[in-house]
Amino acid sequence: VTDIIAVFNAGSSTLKFSVFRHDDFSLIHNGTLEVPDSQDGHKKALQQALGWISAHKDGLKLHVAGHRVVHGKDRAKPEKITAKILTELKTLIPLAPLHQPHNLRVIEELAALHPELPQVACFDTAFHRTQPKLASMFALPRRFYDDGVKRYGFHGISYEYIASVLPKYAGDKAKSRVIVAHLGNGASLCAMKNLQSQATSMGFSTLDGLMMGTRCGTLDVGVPLYMQQHLNMTTDQVTDTLYHKSGLLGVSGISNDMRTLEQSDAPEAGEAIALFCHMAAQHCGSLMSILGGLDALVFTAGIGEHSARVRREICHYLTWAGLSFDETLNQKNATQIHAKGSKIAAYVIPTDEEIVIARACRMIS
Ligand code: AMP
């Protein structure tokens, strides 16, 4: 019988489920389960996952379960879940209404089915807790900060993975001034020094910063006020517009999927991709000032790992700063895509959030 770690990443319509050996972290299974749109949708998907484990011919024993939890507030490390921690994490639902309830539901369902099983939560916010205070502040009246209205940052599990492997790719540069571009359906940038987060483009909510698949990214806050006050949109309509109808989907009017847009001849598709790169370059510039320059830029996640066009456009914006780009390497999705002699190195490194959660499970349980 093999001891295993199960890793869950619960979204609104899917439950990603990975299984690792407990002794050497080798991957046994990786899959995505559909969550039916019903009260017990997550429970059914979880039962399917547990069914997969118990039906496995080699005999697997579930030792510990790890979960991606989007919001951990001020927590800087993963935590073993207790009833008390679960209650605290539920109070954060208003801070991440699209993700947190699903993440916690799976933890609760699993605890009901297996009360003795140790469970570990890894937080997308945790990696950013090394940021200096200024990077986490809004210029609002002070009492809002004290009430938790501040910049938390997200995609921290992905950034932690990149930080863990970057020295292997970039040598000494890894510890200098680095920007990691996590460009997936959700997207953000993280500025690192000494492999620690110094600033990030996402803030209080998962809306801020880069343009995304369906989210708008940085937006003049006067716009949602105008929508409510003068366009007679309700709070729900504004929320739905900003989270689900904007970004690549909203600007192209075609799709939230970069692959579809790259294959389209419609001018709106081209404009959506151009705006995506424009906003990414703008935020790079902003983070470069905080870092005092840049030594390495890392692309990761679905778009970052696979879209040669997006990488080329973003890198072209950084020519002024000394990034010289090798299009042949870029077309090959090579690990290193800068030209010889470039002042700024550019890398393509696949992320692996699941392995970060699996490692945390073994450390903690
Ligand atoms: P993620 O959220 O990390 O799974 O990334 C999803 C995004 O990556 C979607 O916009 C996909 O269209 C995009 N993506 C995946 N593969 C490719 C590809 N070969 N070329 C361009 N975009 C891709």
Side-chain angles (χ1 to χ4, degrees):
V1 175
T2 307
D3 275 344
I4 58 161
I5 302 169
V7 173
F8 295 99
N9 179 352
S12 58
S13 58
T14 60
L15 177 65
K16 288 191 192 154
F17 161 61
S18 311
V19 175
F20 294 87
R21 281 180 69 108
H22 189 261
D23 52 3
D24 64 359
F25 298 121
S26 55
L27 183 69
I28 297 175
H29 177 74
N30 201 1
T32 301
L33 300 162
E34 297 300 320
V35 174
D37 190 14
S38 69
Q39 259 292 304
D40 59 355
H42 284 87
K43 186 175 177 181
K44 285 194 171 138
L46 184 62
Q47 282 169 334
Q48 245 180 295
L50 297 175
W52 186 92
I53 294 173
S54 51
H56 200 270
K57 59 183 177 352
D58 297 337
L60 303 177
K61 181 170 184 302
L62 182 54
H63 199 83
V64 48
H67 301 267
R68 176 179 183 190
V69 175
V70 73
H71 220 302
K73 208 164 185 203
D74 296 319
R75 289 173 178 77
K77 294 206 153 56
E79 296 232 28
K80 190 162 171 182
I81 295 162
T82 60
K84 179 169 170 278
I85 286 177
L86 194 57
T87 308
E88 286 172 16
L89 295 179
K90 280 191 189 168
T91 67
L92 306 179
I93 288 176
L95 297 184
L98 296 187
H99 301 96
Q100 193 86 343
H102 309 299
N103 305 156
L104 300 184
R105 187 164 309 134
V106 172
I107 294 174
E108 273 186 313
E109 299 284 5
L110 188 53
L113 293 167
H114 287 280
E116 303 305 321
L117 180 72
Q119 298 198 62
V120 171
C122 293
F123 305 106
D124 266 315
T125 45
F127 186 75
H128 300 295
R129 302 283 62 78
T130 50
Q131 290 183 0
K133 185 176 177 198
L134 286 184
S136 73
M137 289 179 82
F138 292 118
L140 288 170
R142 206 161 263 284
R143 66 188 161 85
F144 288 99
Y145 185 91
D146 298 336
D147 277 347
V149 181
K150 54 188 183 180
R151 302 177 55 86
Y152 293 97
F154 299 90
H155 296 131
I157 302 172
S158 174
Y159 293 131
E160 186 176 334
Y161 176 78
I162 299 297
S164 76
V165 296
L166 193 57
K168 200 170 75 188
Y169 296 97
D172 290 346
K173 279 198 172 188
K175 291 203 166 178
S176 49
R177 302 161 298 180
V178 174
I179 292 177
V180 181
H182 177 106
L183 309 179
N185 202 29
S188 69
L189 302 180
C190 178
M192 295 182 194
K193 237 182 213 170
N194 216 6
L195 298 169
Q196 294 184 330
S197 174
Q198 300 298 309
T200 183
S201 63
M202 261 188 186
F204 173 74
S205 73
T206 56
L207 278 179
D208 203 9
L210 305 192
M211 174 171 166
M212 298 173 234
T214 63
R215 287 171 258 168
C216 55
T218 297
L219 179 72
D220 178 339
V221 290
V223 174
L225 295 175
Y226 177 81
M227 288 172 165
Q228 288 195 291
Q229 291 165 353
H230 299 286
L231 302 180
N232 297 321
M233 290 169 70
T234 63
T235 305
D236 283 350
Q237 287 170 330
V238 174
T239 305
D240 188 45
T241 302
L242 304 185
Y243 276 97
H244 302 300
K245 301 213 164 97
S246 300
L248 293 172
L249 173 66
V251 176
S252 69
I254 297 170
S255 173
N256 65 322
D257 194 295
M258 187 59 84
R259 265 169 305 197
T260 311
L261 298 184
E262 286 190 354
Q263 283 155 15
S264 167
D265 295 331
E268 293 82 1
E271 196 166 63
I273 298 172
L275 183 58
F276 182 92
C277 299
H278 180 94
M279 288 179 75
Q282 262 182 330
H283 283 277
C284 267
S286 146
L287 292 178
M288 283 165 76
S289 306
I290 297 302
L291 288 173
L294 187 64
D295 299 296
L297 174 64
V298 179
F299 291 96
T300 193
I303 297 170
E305 291 165 29
H306 301 112
S307 173
R309 173 166 169 187
V310 167
R311 290 193 301 257
R312 178 174 63 244
E313 282 194 33
I314 294 173
C315 287
H316 271 169
Y317 276 104
L318 298 179
T319 308
W320 65 270
L323 203 171
S324 136
F325 185 67
D326 187 321
E327 179 57 10
T328 311
L329 294 172
N330 182 47
Q331 285 295 341
K332 287 191 212 154
N333 290 323
T335 302
Q336 192 175 303
I337 57 172
H338 57 271
K340 223 172 155 196
S342 177
K343 268 206 272 179
I344 299 173
Y347 302 97
V348 180
I349 303 178
T351 194
D352 188 348
E353 292 161 299
E354 282 70 28
I355 193 79
V356 173
I357 300 173
R359 285 179 195 148
C361 283
R362 211 172 76 180
M363 290 259 292
I364 289 182
S365 63

